[in-house]
Amino acid sequence: GTTLGASAAESGRYFGTAVAANKLSDSTYVGILNREFKMVTAENEMKIDALEPTQGQFTYTNADRIVNHAVGQGMRVRGHTLAWHSQQPTWMQNMSGTALRNAMLNHVTKVATYYRGKIHSWDVVNEAFQDGTSGARRDSNLQRTGNDWIEAAFRAARAADSSAKLCYNDYNTDNWSHAKTQAVYRMVQDFKARGVPIDCVGFQAHFNSGNPVPSNYHTTLQNFAALGVDVQITELDIEGSGSSQAQQYQGIVQACLAVTRCNGITVWGIRDSDSWRASGTPLLFDSSGNKKAAYTSVLNAL
Ligand code: XIL
């Protein structure tokens, strides 16, 4: 293929990007988006603070801009994210206990119902585990409602939308030997054993020199897939430049392609200037929209 989307499709996979609604009027941005990508994730527009800024009042305008653009272009949508400790509206940040549990479940139900039929995969729960060596859940207002909050969110999402794939999404889960990776693995194993509805695990894959692509990345993806879930790389970016960056991107793509159930890769933005990273050049297109060496290595590896 001559584009990322077409090349990934040759092996039945998708290639996607994060999209910001306010960039859909930038013709360079939209030109690359429409040419290269077959899946989009709203970078911020489907987060809890964006969709439910006031409790019980849902605001879908910006999210719908992205969804409608995607549908019009024949792209699919990854929903991001129904339940998360971060980017909560103020009203939710100030809640706890049963009231918070019910507010979270209502949010999951309302949003998944609104988008029923339009979402390929939902990141139902994002970033629920701690970094470091504990393997524990991350402390958050949601976690303090009870350890079963994650499965409750998955069950509510399935009840609202029986066809979207339901994913758990996290970062620092790339290295198979890390405690956080093992802890997420045990949760997915437990969910599969008990029939909690989970279909996929997303690996954010934000890499830099302090957090490089691990050499056992393929092992991690393969071991999760063996639990009976699809795996996806959901927010890929790698700080660096030139051939070193290109090689790391190639390694990620090769690791995914070596795992049958690794069925999609999404980069977290289009041009370096679109990146959430404060500095650096972590993406596949330079700030003018030109293809970088990393682009070519990804295209060739797909
Ligand atoms: C980031 C966005 O890119 C930024 O624009 C925003 O200010 C903060 O969130 N993990 C996730 C994403 O799951 O939602 C985050 O996106 C990046 C880290």
Side-chain angles (χ1 to χ4, degrees):
T2 57
T3 65
L4 301 170
S7 294
E10 287 166 8
S11 68
R13 294 178 170 86
Y14 69 78
F15 206 98
T17 181
V19 167
N22 64 7
K23 290 178 182 158
L24 291 173
S25 53
D26 175 335
S27 60
T28 304
Y29 181 87
V30 173
I32 301 170
L33 170 63
N34 293 354
R35 186 184 74 220
E36 298 285 344
F37 298 100
K38 296 284 190 199
M39 177 76 74
V40 300
T41 306
E43 188 173 358
N44 289 296
E45 293 80 350
M46 284 193 193
K47 293 174 180 175
I48 312 172
D49 58 353
L51 293 185
E52 196 179 354
T54 303
Q55 189 174 14
Q57 292 180 26
F58 292 79
T59 313
Y60 292 106
T61 316
N62 287 328
D64 281 348
R65 279 195 188 120
I66 294 173
V67 172
N68 292 338
H69 183 90
V71 169
Q73 292 290 323
M75 302 166 180
R76 291 175 295 177
V77 180
R78 186 180 189 94
H80 177 79
T81 175
L82 293 170
W84 190 22
H85 70 277
S86 184
Q87 291 182 269
Q88 292 183 357
T90 310
W91 64 264
M92 185 178 273
Q93 291 174 34
N94 293 330
M95 281 183 114
S96 62
T98 307
L100 173 60
R101 173 69 71 101
N102 289 337
M104 179 275 284
L105 293 175
N106 181 60
H107 183 86
V108 171
T109 301
K110 292 281 168 43
V111 173
T113 300
Y114 179 85
Y115 282 116
R116 186 158 52 201
K118 293 188 170 168
I119 302 293
H120 173 277
S121 303
W122 268 115
D123 289 331
V124 178
V125 170
N126 198 31
E127 301 182 348
F129 283 80
Q130 242 173 56
D131 294 313
T133 56
S134 74
R137 293 285 183 85
R138 176 195 295 273
D139 180 50
S140 72
N141 60 347
L142 291 168
Q143 180 62 29
R144 290 191 291 270
T145 71
N147 204 51
D148 62 341
W149 74 276
I150 299 179
E151 63 189 90
F154 274 83
R155 291 188 201 280
R158 179 68 100 226
D161 182 345
S162 60
S163 60
K165 302 287 187 195
L166 305 182
C167 309
Y168 176 77
N169 193 56
D170 214 330
Y171 68 93
N172 279 352
T173 47
D174 311 291
N175 193 321
W176 178 243
S177 62
H178 283 179
K180 186 171 174 183
T181 310
Q182 296 289 320
V184 174
Y185 178 86
R186 285 193 299 273
M187 178 188 74
V188 176
Q189 190 174 45
D190 170 58
F191 280 12
K192 295 300 283 185
R194 291 190 295 113
V196 178
I198 184 167
D199 305 302
C200 33
V201 175
F203 296 81
Q204 291 186 12
H206 297 293
F207 295 110
N208 54 47
S209 54
N211 177 39
V213 181
S215 57
N216 60 19
Y217 202 51
H218 166 262
T219 302
T220 303
L221 298 177
Q222 185 62 59
N223 286 344
F224 273 87
L227 292 175
V229 289
D230 290 333
V231 295
Q232 291 109 13
I233 293 160
T234 53
E235 306 183 11
L236 178 60
D237 52 26
I238 308 175
E239 285 189 353
S241 62
S243 60
S244 153
Q245 181 183 47
Q247 271 175 25
Q248 293 173 74
Y249 265 104
Q250 181 186 48
I252 293 279
V253 173
Q254 286 171 342
C256 178
L257 263 64
V259 176
T260 308
R261 292 197 77 152
C262 183
N263 61 351
I265 300 173
T266 294
V267 287
W268 205 241
I270 297 179
R271 300 162 299 193
D272 286 332
S273 50
D274 300 317
S275 174
W276 70 305
R277 299 282 208 185
S279 64
T281 53
L283 294 171
L284 300 180
F285 295 86
D286 71 18
S287 296
S288 305
N290 301 307
K291 296 168 180 173
K292 295 166 56 181
Y295 172 94
T296 306
S297 71
V298 168
L299 186 71
N300 291 341
L302 284 168

